[in-house]
Amino acid sequence: MALFHKVLRGTYILRKCSKPTSALHPFLGIRFADYSSSLQKPVASPGKASSQRKTEGGLQGHHQKEVALDITCPEEKPDVSFDKAIRDEAMDHFRRLKDEIVNHWKGPGGRPLQEALLEQAKVVWQFRGKEDLDKWRVTSDKTIGGRSEVFLKMGKNNQSALLYGTLSSEAPQDGESARSGYCAMISRIPRGAFERKLSYDWSQFNTLYLRVRGDGRPWMVNIKEDTDFLQRTNQMYSYFMFTRGGPYWQEVKIPFSKFFFSNRGRIRDVQHELLLDKISSIGFTLADKVDGPFFLEIDFIGVFTDPAHTEKFAYENSPELNPRLFK
């Protein structure tokens, strides 16, 4: 009798519950869903029946949305593994280090030594795509509060780099800077495996070779040596480049012996010869104090050997300025 009473009570509870949705079949079981659907629903008036259907439909739709949001496909879960990322990064650096060692034993730049020694000209930078622009960075007096602007983009037909902007010599109103007005384009220092700094070896060449097109403004070409001393971070070797203006390209050839030594923008009395086997970067600076727009278009930057140029160093030193050279 007690068992019969429990069965009747369970049947009454199932009649009061709504029909399980098809989204719950994997959790409740198909047999339970079929059994609950076979139960008779209590008879109600037509008005109450329609409102009850709307309520049940809304509850079922809301419940299906919740189930759909809670259940995620395992294929969509991102596979994030820090150990794998570190391992892949280390393997990539070791692979690059292996290539550098192999290329070093083959010869300069991975080429045979005989071929490198007979080389008379070499293109170091050229601009044929966005990856070539990523090797450079631009800066201006905005870093100290100035108003000059400089931009770098690809030229027409992706065959050159266009450096353009506006130069303003107005000093910043900070009470410290008395002068302003410069824009520059500087090459990034090359990096090897494990982010080691690399350098360019131009010891077998004697002339810098550029193909440019400008607006008639004078530019300063700056070359920096590779150094790890903080005292030498602002030291560089510079020389002037005069653009003709107009629509025609010009080829600029500057012997390395013409570059003079400067520190923090000031020409030093004691001059040193540029060490061509430890070149870290090259840059172009505009600071002619002429406010207004400017542009400089660069096709390529290279080095070559001019057999007609025999000068070693264009500047002399005296025993009073540099006595170590005369010992």
Side-chain angles (χ1 to χ4, degrees):
M1 189 67 180
L3 179 62
F4 182 71
H5 178 70
K6 289 182 179 180
V7 171
L8 291 179
R9 183 175 178 83
T11 304
Y12 176 75
I13 293 174
L14 287 175
R15 285 180 180 177
K16 299 290 287 183
C17 297
S18 60
K19 178 182 177 180
T21 60
S22 59
L24 295 178
H25 285 181
F27 305 100
L28 299 181
I30 300 177
R31 293 183 179 180
F32 180 80
D34 295 339
Y35 175 75
S36 61
S37 62
S38 62
L39 297 177
Q40 295 182 359
K41 296 182 179 180
V43 181
S45 60
K48 292 183 179 180
S50 60
S51 62
Q52 186 177 0
R53 290 194 205 99
K54 292 181 181 179
T55 304
E56 291 179 354
L59 291 174
Q60 290 178 3
H62 180 68
H63 187 66
Q64 289 179 358
K65 290 180 181 179
E66 289 183 351
V67 173
L69 291 174
D70 293 337
I71 301 173
T72 58
C73 180
E75 297 179 357
E76 297 178 358
K77 292 181 179 180
D79 186 11
V80 179
S81 176
F82 291 101
D83 295 338
K84 184 177 181 300
I86 295 174
R87 184 169 59 253
D88 294 344
E89 185 72 15
M91 292 299 296
D92 180 65
H93 282 287
F94 277 114
R95 193 178 302 109
R96 292 169 57 187
L97 182 61
K98 174 187 173 183
D99 295 339
E100 291 177 11
I101 296 174
V102 172
N103 292 335
H104 179 74
W105 283 106
K106 286 182 180 180
R111 297 173 301 164
L113 181 60
Q114 182 179 3
E115 180 183 346
L117 291 176
L118 295 176
E119 189 177 28
Q120 299 295 318
K122 179 181 180 181
V123 176
V124 184
W125 293 279
Q126 62 179 354
F127 302 93
R128 300 296 183 265
K130 186 180 180 301
E131 61 277 2
D132 296 326
L133 294 183
D134 294 338
K135 300 177 183 178
W136 296 79
R137 61 184 180 90
V138 294
T139 182
S140 68
D141 55 18
K142 273 193 171 182
T143 57
I144 61 173
R147 296 188 176 182
S148 300
E149 294 182 340
V150 60
F151 307 96
L152 180 64
K153 68 176 184 179
M154 291 300 300
K156 293 182 179 179
N157 301 324
N158 291 335
Q159 296 296 315
S160 61
L162 181 60
L163 180 68
Y164 66 100
T166 304
L167 186 69
S168 175
S169 58
E170 182 180 353
Q173 304 297 325
D174 56 358
E176 298 178 0
S177 303
R179 294 185 300 271
S180 181
Y182 70 88
C183 295
M185 169 184 174
I186 308 171
S187 65
R188 298 184 184 275
I189 299 176
R191 299 283 179 173
F194 299 100
E195 297 300 321
R196 296 178 300 109
K197 289 196 303 182
L198 302 179
S199 60
Y200 300 98
D201 186 3
W202 298 344
S203 56
Q204 66 182 92
F205 308 101
N206 62 4
T207 305
L208 183 68
Y209 187 21
L210 308 96
R211 188 170 186 263
V212 299
R213 180 167 57 183
D215 54 0
R217 287 176 177 257
W219 290 77
M220 184 75 75
V221 182
N222 306 310
I223 297 179
K224 276 192 173 184
E225 291 180 347
D226 184 18
T227 179
D228 293 326
F229 296 99
L230 295 177
Q231 295 84 354
R232 298 183 180 179
T233 54
N234 296 314
Q235 296 180 357
M236 63 182 65
Y237 293 82
S238 308
Y239 199 72
F240 303 100
M241 179 181 68
F242 300 94
T243 58
R244 291 195 293 257
Y248 300 105
W249 290 91
Q250 67 179 99
E251 296 181 354
V252 180
K253 301 176 183 179
I254 307 175
F256 290 123
S257 61
K258 300 291 185 182
F259 283 83
F260 52 85
F261 177 66
S262 63
N263 187 12
R264 293 184 179 271
R266 296 180 180 271
I267 302 176
R268 310 303 297 177
D269 293 334
V270 179
Q271 291 294 313
H272 302 281
E273 189 176 349
L274 175 62
L275 300 178
L276 296 175
D277 59 341
K278 291 291 184 179
I279 303 299
S280 64
S281 65
I282 189 173
F284 304 91
T285 303
L286 176 65
D288 59 354
K289 299 182 180 180
V290 179
D291 296 353
F294 67 88
F295 82 90
L296 178 67
E297 193 171 359
I298 306 174
D299 183 8
F300 66 84
I301 304 168
V303 291
F304 83 104
T305 301
D306 186 3
H309 183 76
T310 58
E311 185 182 48
K312 295 297 182 181
F313 193 51
Y315 311 101
E316 63 180 11
N317 288 297
S318 64
E320 290 78 11
L321 294 177
N322 196 354
R324 291 180 298 177
L325 294 178
F326 298 90
K327 286 183 180 180

